[in-house]
Amino acid sequence: MSTYNFKKISTVPASKDFVDIILSRTQRKTPTVIHKNYKISRIRRFYMRKVKFTQQNFHDKLTTILTEFPKLSDLHPFYADLLNTLYNKDHYKLSLGQLNIARHLIDKVASDYTKLLKYGDSLYRCKMLKRAAMGRMVTVMKKQGPPLKYLEEVRQHLSRLPSIDPNTRTLLLCGCPNAGKSSFMNLITRAEVEVQPYAFTTKSLYVGHTDYEYLRWQVIDTPGVLDRPFDEMNTIELQAITALAHIRAAVIFFLDTSEKCGVPLDQQLCIYKSIKPLFANKPLIVVCNKADIINLEQLGKESPEKRELVAELERDHVPVRQMSTITHEGVMDVKKEACDSLLGMRVELKMRSRKAESILNRVHVAMPAPRDNKKRKPFIPANVLKAMENKKNAMETESTDKPRKKLEKDLEEELGDDYSLDLKKYKDLMVEEWKYDKIPELWNGFNVADFIDPDIFKKLEELEKDEEEREKNGFYKPDIKEQDEATRKIHQLALKIREKIKINWINRQLDRPGKKAVMSRVTSKRARERSVSRLRNEFSELGVDMSDVRGTNFTRTRSTSRGPPLKRTRLRSEAMTRSYSRGPSRDVSGVRDVEMADKMKKLGRKAQKERNFAGRKGEGDRHIYDLKPKHLFSGKRGLGKTGRR
């Protein structure tokens, strides 16, 4: 199999969660009550069912884990070596083997205790056997904690691996760290690999895809490799070695001739020589990156020794190309050459295979042989030739008469950095100046911006000043002197009423409970704000006849206090301060004695308690009135379904 969908592997629970899941399912899916009229045979079946059900759930869950995790023998060698590099295949096999052993042990425990339950002679003995069977199963699973935890970590890491097809058309990028592999991959593919100016930014394999010759190509970016033996390499470097060893691809080896990566050029060539055996039977291109800093010609002038090292590769018939991922110089040429070389190799291999021979045997390609030595030119009618000549002459005259219109691309090439895209110059308007108006809205063939008065704000200021002067001079005030006596009195009364309404509104705001200030007892006594005489004077000033108002409602005064009269309260307070032993009389309090009054207060507080509690409830409060409703938790159960448990 070329690819494997590691993301479909189900989650591996911890040992404690594993046991909780299985036991909970057993409790929910099997009967839970034994009635006193059950026979011993039915009791045995009851507990045997629980043991078998638990064993089957353990077996199914462990089988799912063992089947979903890939077997190294069934995988492609690339994936098998990659798993060995990342997780150590010995630990991986041991973990799966321990789960397999646990599955067999659980099956054996269930089989043994089922046989014992067949001969259980009492309910208690059957119950204890069931309990022992489940206890042994749980003990076996609790010992599988480390393998389950390890497999869950492997599953999480496998799900994050890229989906690599080892058999498809592939470009493999390798070289020393920080040589420009990820930058090249971002340019030719739609991938977005992180690029940073330090070594080992890429710590795992990254996959991108590109198109060439109407075919889909796979590009693999590998981590950087250092100059050391294979047995001293770390996990990051071994991923690149695994990809080079098992994937048949076009290899692009990157050299940094500027040595900005921190690795000298001779060490980079040592890396090339150390992994050169992995390039066998694969198309190879050596790319000298960062040509914008220093190219091969400048390298030959500055350091001929380093140029000679690169020349050795050319003498070994290895194609050496220059490239810059900053200026994009030579990027597409490298891609084209690598793809063409890989396509040629794949076609050659297919032609060598037996499959190609079997296809060619069934396909007949006719190759006609010439019957004489005459050269026969293609026949073209005379009218067609004449039409072609006329068209050609017309195109030539048109090209000579009219110069070609400059396009935006030509302007951009001429101006360079000074070029800015101007789309307004192509607008077709009656006046050229209208093209760059801020509001180029047209109505009936005219620009709306032409109808806006530029002095509108000055005229508005003049109008506002004129209005202010008129208000100061009293232009808008009515002339009361010219009006008759009745109208003037009405105006005066209306002014007084409006003023009184404002005063009353202010008094109401001051008398509000939340706004009223707390006065200390030491302050002097204030004059009364409301009185009958004051009300009579104010209404008489307003022109209301107040001569005959005796017996009206506002002239009758009454006490505003809600309690008993002042004399009675004073006597009561004096009696309470002198001695509290004597209780209040029946006609005053309505109770017999002090004890009865205290009891009445307690009863009142107790009765009010529930109302106070309910009064604090909000819209978000929830209350379950009965945790165990009687209709669900009383009576005998029938012989029907027990699914609700």
Side-chain angles (χ1 to χ4, degrees):
M1 54 192 303
S2 59
T3 57
Y4 196 93
N5 193 357
F6 298 114
K7 295 180 176 61
K8 286 187 177 179
I9 302 175
S10 57
T11 307
V12 181
S15 59
K16 186 177 182 304
D17 298 336
F18 205 110
V19 171
D20 291 343
I21 290 167
I22 301 301
L23 294 184
S24 174
R25 185 178 296 173
T26 302
Q27 187 68 8
R28 286 184 289 107
K29 298 291 185 180
T30 58
T32 56
V33 178
I34 294 178
H35 297 292
K36 61 182 179 180
N37 57 349
Y38 280 4
K39 294 180 181 180
I40 188 64
S41 59
R42 188 169 183 179
I43 294 171
R44 290 171 188 161
R45 291 197 302 271
F46 179 90
Y47 286 113
M48 286 167 62
R49 179 179 177 182
K50 282 187 175 293
V51 173
K52 289 182 179 179
F53 189 84
T54 307
Q55 174 264 332
Q56 190 63 40
N57 283 334
F58 274 120
H59 183 91
D60 293 345
K61 192 72 176 175
L62 291 172
T63 304
T64 303
I65 294 173
L66 292 171
T67 54
E68 286 186 349
F69 273 89
K71 293 183 180 180
L72 298 182
S73 59
D74 296 340
L75 286 176
H76 189 277
F78 164 70
Y79 275 118
D81 276 7
L82 187 63
L83 286 174
N84 185 26
T85 302
L86 296 174
Y87 319 116
N88 192 343
K89 65 179 180 181
D90 295 333
H91 292 175
Y92 179 75
K93 288 182 177 179
L94 281 173
S95 300
L96 293 176
Q98 286 182 4
L99 291 187
N100 192 22
I101 292 171
R103 182 177 62 173
H104 289 308
L105 286 175
I106 288 173
D107 293 346
K108 187 71 168 60
V109 168
S111 176
D112 293 344
Y113 277 89
T114 303
K115 292 177 182 178
L116 293 174
L117 278 168
K118 285 181 181 179
Y119 303 101
D121 55 355
S122 65
L123 186 147
Y124 178 76
R125 191 181 298 275
C126 294
K127 185 176 182 180
M128 290 300 105
L129 287 172
K130 184 266 299 185
R131 187 174 179 181
M134 288 191 173
R136 288 189 62 182
M137 293 180 195
V138 169
T139 303
V140 171
M141 280 311 304
K142 283 185 176 178
K143 291 181 180 178
Q144 308 306 316
L148 291 172
K149 186 178 179 181
Y150 172 77
L151 289 175
E152 174 60 18
E153 292 178 359
V154 171
R155 184 198 67 82
Q156 292 178 3
H157 201 289
L158 281 173
S159 64
R160 292 192 291 267
L161 283 179
S163 180
I164 299 175
D165 186 358
N167 297 324
T168 190
R169 297 166 290 274
T170 306
L171 303 181
L172 196 60
L173 315 181
C174 63
C176 67
N178 204 18
K181 302 183 290 298
S182 301
S183 301
F184 177 75
M185 182 173 178
N186 290 341
L187 289 175
I188 67 171
T189 67
R190 291 181 287 274
E192 294 182 358
V193 185
E194 184 181 4
V195 178
Q196 295 294 342
Y198 50 80
F200 286 109
T201 307
T202 304
K203 297 182 181 179
S204 61
L205 299 176
Y206 285 91
V207 180
H209 293 86
T210 185
D211 293 327
Y212 179 73
E213 296 289 341
Y214 303 102
L215 297 172
R216 177 60 60 91
W217 294 73
Q218 181 178 251
V219 184
I220 300 177
D221 181 18
T222 63
V225 182
L226 297 178
D227 184 19
R228 50 187 174 185
F230 289 160
D231 55 353
E232 296 180 6
M233 288 184 177
N234 56 21
T235 306
I236 298 174
E237 297 173 90
L238 286 174
Q239 294 181 53
I241 301 301
T242 303
L244 285 169
H246 295 289
I247 297 178
R248 183 174 292 175
V251 181
I252 303 176
F253 188 86
F254 282 75
L255 288 176
D256 185 2
T257 54
S258 67
E259 298 183 354
K260 294 288 184 181
C261 61
V263 182
L265 186 60
D266 54 350
Q267 289 189 14
Q268 297 181 40
L269 291 172
C270 289
I271 295 171
Y272 169 79
K273 291 177 182 177
S274 64
I275 62 175
K276 186 177 179 181
L278 300 175
F279 301 154
N281 301 323
K282 295 175 186 175
L284 174 64
I285 297 176
V286 176
V287 175
C288 297
N289 194 18
K290 304 182 182 179
D292 55 328
I293 299 176
I294 182 170
N295 54 24
L296 292 178
E297 296 177 359
Q298 297 172 354
L299 184 67
K301 295 177 182 178
E302 294 180 4
S303 57
E305 300 85 3
K306 295 180 180 178
R307 182 67 182 89
E308 183 62 26
L309 295 175
V310 180
E312 291 181 3
L313 298 176
E314 296 176 346
R315 286 195 290 270
D316 292 342
H317 305 288
V318 176
V320 179
R321 300 290 179 264
Q322 298 185 86
M323 186 184 70
S324 173
T325 55
I326 301 298
T327 61
H328 300 181
E329 176 188 355
V331 173
M332 290 299 126
D333 296 337
V334 171
K335 173 189 170 182
K336 182 178 181 299
E337 186 173 354
C339 294
D340 289 339
S341 60
L342 183 62
L343 272 179
M345 187 197 74
R346 288 170 66 92
V347 170
E348 184 180 355
L349 289 176
K350 289 180 180 178
M351 293 297 293
R352 290 179 184 174
S353 64
R354 295 180 180 178
K355 188 176 180 180
E357 294 179 0
S358 63
I359 293 174
L360 289 175
N361 290 334
R362 287 177 285 171
V363 176
H364 174 67
V365 181
M367 298 294 293
R371 60 187 178 184
D372 50 23
N373 295 327
K374 290 183 179 180
K375 292 183 180 180
R376 294 175 174 81
K377 296 182 180 180
F379 173 73
I380 302 174
N383 55 354
V384 176
L385 288 173
K386 187 175 181 180
M388 290 174 64
E389 289 179 1
N390 294 336
K391 187 175 181 181
K392 186 177 180 181
N393 295 333
M395 291 176 65
E396 290 177 356
T397 54
E398 184 178 356
S399 61
T400 54
D401 296 344
K402 296 183 181 179
R404 189 174 68 88
K405 181 182 177 181
K406 279 191 176 183
L407 304 176
E408 291 293 323
K409 184 178 180 181
D410 302 330
L411 294 174
E412 184 179 3
E413 292 177 355
E414 290 179 6
L415 299 176
D417 295 337
D418 298 333
Y419 170 76
S420 62
L421 181 62
D422 186 10
L423 297 176
K424 293 184 178 180
K425 62 184 179 182
Y426 296 110
K427 292 181 178 178
D428 187 11
L429 300 176
M430 294 174 62
V431 182
E432 291 292 327
E433 298 175 355
W434 291 356
K435 291 181 179 179
Y436 297 96
D437 287 347
K438 291 183 179 180
I439 310 175
E441 295 291 339
L442 302 179
W443 180 72
N444 289 342
F446 295 98
N447 198 338
V448 176
D450 296 337
F451 294 93
I452 297 176
D453 191 354
D455 300 331
I456 188 69
F457 295 105
K458 293 182 180 179
K459 294 179 180 180
L460 181 62
E461 289 179 1
E462 293 176 359
L463 282 174
E464 289 178 351
K465 290 180 181 178
D466 190 11
E467 289 294 322
E468 288 177 0
E469 290 179 0
R470 288 187 176 187
E471 287 180 358
K472 289 179 182 178
N473 297 332
F475 181 77
Y476 295 109
K477 290 184 179 180
D479 192 0
I480 300 175
K481 295 181 180 179
E482 297 179 359
Q483 298 175 355
D484 55 350
E485 189 68 20
T487 308
R488 189 166 59 252
K489 286 183 178 181
I490 291 171
H491 280 291
Q492 291 176 356
L493 185 60
L495 292 173
K496 289 182 180 180
I497 290 171
R498 290 194 188 100
E499 186 177 358
K500 186 62 179 177
I501 289 172
K502 290 182 181 178
I503 293 171
N504 290 339
W505 182 83
I506 292 170
N507 289 334
R508 283 198 305 273
Q509 295 296 321
L510 293 173
D511 291 342
R512 285 172 61 185
K515 302 290 184 181
K516 197 170 185 180
V518 179
M519 301 293 293
S520 62
R521 296 182 181 182
V522 186
T523 55
S524 60
K525 188 177 180 181
R526 290 193 307 172
R528 291 183 63 187
E529 294 182 357
R530 299 181 183 86
S531 63
V532 177
S533 60
R534 185 175 177 186
L535 183 64
R536 184 183 290 109
N537 295 332
E538 288 178 356
F539 271 92
S540 60
E541 288 178 3
L542 293 174
V544 181
D545 187 10
M546 302 294 291
S547 59
D548 188 11
V549 291
R550 292 180 181 179
T552 55
N553 189 27
F554 67 88
T555 58
R556 299 174 187 172
T557 59
R558 62 180 179 180
S559 176
T560 57
S561 62
R562 298 181 181 179
L566 182 61
K567 184 176 180 182
R568 184 176 295 173
T569 54
R570 188 180 294 129
L571 290 172
R572 184 179 176 184
S573 63
E574 288 175 358
M576 294 288 281
T577 53
R578 290 193 187 110
S579 176
Y580 192 70
S581 60
R582 182 185 176 188
S585 58
R586 181 187 288 267
D587 57 348
V588 175
S589 60
V591 294
R592 184 172 61 253
D593 51 9
V594 179
E595 294 178 0
M596 192 172 182
D598 294 339
K599 187 176 180 181
M600 181 184 68
K601 289 180 182 178
K602 288 182 181 179
L603 291 174
R605 285 198 297 269
K606 191 173 181 181
Q608 193 67 24
K609 186 176 180 181
E610 187 176 355
R611 295 193 185 94
N612 293 340
F613 182 77
R616 289 193 293 270
K617 270 194 174 183
E619 295 179 355
D621 292 334
R622 299 289 184 269
H623 178 62
I624 301 173
Y625 292 95
D626 196 354
L627 294 175
K628 291 187 176 183
K630 189 174 181 180
H631 70 283
L632 290 178
F633 291 89
S634 64
K636 294 182 179 180
R637 295 182 59 195
L639 297 177
K641 294 183 180 178
T642 58
R644 67 179 182 84
R645 288 194 180 271

